Amino acid sequence: MLTLEQNVTDVVDLTRRPRRNRRTPAIRAVLQETHLHPNQMIAPLFVLEGNNQKETIHSMPGVHRLSIDLLIKEVQELYRLGIRAVDLFPFVPNERKDNQGTEAFRAGNLIEMSIRALKREIPEMCLMVDVALDPYTDHGHDGIVEEGQIVNDPTLIALARMSLLAAEAGADVIAPSDMMDGRVGYLRKMLDEAGFDEVGILSYCVKFASAFYGPFRDALKSAPRFGDKKTYQMNPGNCNEALLECMLDEAEGADMLMIKPALPYLDVIAKAKAQTLLPLGAYHVSGEYAMIMAASQNGWINGERAMAECLLSIKRAGADFILTYAARSMAEKIAREGGILFS
Ligand code: PBG
């Protein structure tokens, strides 16, 4: 019979004691394998018409729609915190929406003005612009609708016009999020022909038809008015198809790939990373953000720590960068904690 009085070394003889490597904050910091850095987080930002306008988005605590003047201040602050890229989304009032999403490529539209203002005020920030028609269409779909169908090839022309407008205004990267076939190759060709060979393409190559986009659609009032997005966004059960989408967009000339949403698809991120040498991003989408914020506001979890843990898991799965609404709060936390989280 073993008694507590007995000398434990008589019975336990361990050569491997993994806890030695966890003994102090210092050793934990030295040995941490994956890190979250501000420069690997991209902040999605919602732009609003007008001046000195700041609107809250109830389903996304801490995220606002900002008019251009306030947007400039926000981007300057993000830069100061170490964030090096933002991705812009426009809030388009209903009266500017139509079946074809023509506002998307109207010269002088909100997105063009935002890009010009940001490039003028803070040219050192990398400016990415989402390219898809859903903020601009009265039916809320990402493409042009004909007889109830989202038609692929005519949509490409609209996306190209959007991309050219963004490139002309000074965007560094265009980010097609529409999931139409062949758009990366087509946009690359159109950009090159117009002399914008330095404008990059971040392809949302794997975008699942997800329930986690709900708060984003609140933010832009862009929920589809009929049907769903399942004829273009992917079936959540499919991984091979995701890898195929990555291969196609890579072959069509994408500079960076992205998987979206992130947390429910960590396996897809890991497999996509193993298959490509391109930089791979993941979009920690609105619903993923909102869940953590809601639980945190109820006092059920520590929101900051849970957020950091989730973002770290996305990096550990293989993402090189993350689009996240928590970019600013995480960058602030990293600065507060001396540059390293978790140790
Ligand atoms: C639009 C677009 C969506 C998101 C990014 N771009 C919504 C959708 O496809 O319905 C979602 C982002 C988020 O939920 O944070 N093409």
Side-chain angles (χ1 to χ4, degrees), residues 304-305 331-343:
E304 257 199 357
R305 286 182 48 208
E332 285 168 344
K333 181 175 167 68
I334 292 165
R336 244 184 0 257
E337 297 186 16
I340 183 162
L341 299 181
F342 302 103
S343 62

Side-chain angles (χ1 to χ4, degrees), residues 132-166:
L133 291 179
D134 53 314
Y136 301 99
T137 51
D138 52 16
H139 45 67
H141 280 287
D142 293 39
I144 290 172
V145 173
E146 286 171 11
E147 293 167 11
Q149 305 292 317
I150 291 83
V151 289
N152 198 87
D153 299 5
T155 299
L156 301 190
I157 295 170
L159 299 176
R161 293 179 70 179
M162 276 181 91
S163 303
L164 290 173
L165 189 66

Side-chain angles (χ1 to χ4, degrees), residues 44 46 60 89 130-135 140 142 177-178 204 207 212-217 222 224 229 232-233 260 283-287 325:
F46 298 112
M60 300 179 73
F89 296 89
D130 195 82
V131 170
L133 291 179
D134 53 314
D142 293 39
S177 69
D178 55 288
Y204 289 61
K207 179 167 177 179
F212 290 98
Y213 307 146
F216 172 96
R217 293 176 186 172
S222 65
K229 298 193 176 184
Y232 44 111
Q233 298 182 352
K260 168 188 178 177
Y283 199 147
H284 183 243
V285 301
S286 57
Y325 302 97

Side-chain angles (χ1 to χ4, degrees), residues 60-298:
M60 300 179 73
V63 180
H64 302 92
R65 304 182 196 98
L66 300 173
S67 56
I68 292 176
D69 52 327
L70 300 184
L71 180 76
I72 291 168
K73 293 207 176 77
E74 176 69 13
V75 173
Q76 285 167 334
E77 188 59 20
L78 291 169
Y79 193 85
R80 201 186 55 74
L81 285 163
I83 289 164
R84 291 291 178 266
V86 297
D87 193 13
L88 300 180
F89 296 89
F91 177 84
V92 181
N94 270 337
E95 60 272 20
R96 287 201 214 286
K97 298 187 183 187
D98 62 25
N99 176 271
Q100 309 269 315
T102 52
E103 175 66 14
F105 39 85
R106 181 179 63 80
N109 72 7
L110 181 61
I111 269 300
E112 184 192 342
M113 290 301 132
S114 310
I115 300 167
R116 286 194 190 282
L118 288 172
K119 269 295 152 195
R120 187 178 62 237
E121 299 296 328
I122 175 160
E124 55 275 32
M125 184 65 101
C126 173
L127 261 193
M128 301 183 168
V129 185
D130 195 82
V131 170
L133 291 179
D134 53 314
Y136 301 99
T137 51
D138 52 16
H139 45 67
H141 280 287
D142 293 39
I144 290 172
V145 173
E146 286 171 11
E147 293 167 11
Q149 305 292 317
I150 291 83
V151 289
N152 198 87
D153 299 5
T155 299
L156 301 190
I157 295 170
L159 299 176
R161 293 179 70 179
M162 276 181 91
S163 303
L164 290 173
L165 189 66
E168 226 166 80
D172 296 289
V173 174
I174 55 148
S177 69
D178 55 288
M179 288 299 279
M180 296 299 120
D181 292 335
R183 88 272 211 225
V184 171
Y186 185 70
L187 296 180
R188 185 69 274 156
K189 179 164 165 276
M190 297 311 276
L191 286 169
D192 288 353
E193 277 178 14
F196 296 116
D197 48 69
E198 291 191 340
V199 172
I201 300 180
L202 161 62
S203 174
Y204 289 61
C205 53
V206 178
K207 179 167 177 179
F208 290 97
S210 171
F212 290 98
Y213 307 146
F216 172 96
R217 293 176 186 172
D218 275 356
L220 294 188
K221 304 222 184 323
S222 65
R225 306 282 159 85
F226 72 89
D228 53 41
K229 298 193 176 184
K230 290 180 185 171
T231 68
Y232 44 111
Q233 298 182 352
M234 286 184 43
N235 185 328
N238 293 0
C239 189
N240 285 338
E241 189 185 357
L243 299 178
L244 175 66
E245 283 282 6
C246 289
M247 276 171 57
L248 289 173
D249 285 10
E250 183 166 344
E252 286 177 33
D255 299 283
M256 306 166 222
L257 305 178
M258 187 156 70
I259 313 289
K260 168 188 178 177
L263 282 182
Y265 301 97
L266 293 181
D267 57 326
V268 179
I269 295 173
K271 287 180 181 150
K273 185 60 188 170
Q275 174 187 279
T276 184
L277 295 176
L278 288 180
L280 179 70
Y283 199 147
H284 183 243
V285 301
S286 57
E288 302 179 71
Y289 173 84
M291 283 195 299
I292 295 171
M293 296 306 283
S296 169
Q297 288 186 338
N298 275 298

Side-chain angles (χ1 to χ4, degrees), residues 35-52:
H35 296 271
L36 197 57
H37 298 299
N39 55 297
Q40 297 165 324
M41 292 186 282
I42 298 174
L45 297 171
F46 298 112
V47 202
L48 181 68
E49 290 182 358
N51 218 350
N52 199 25

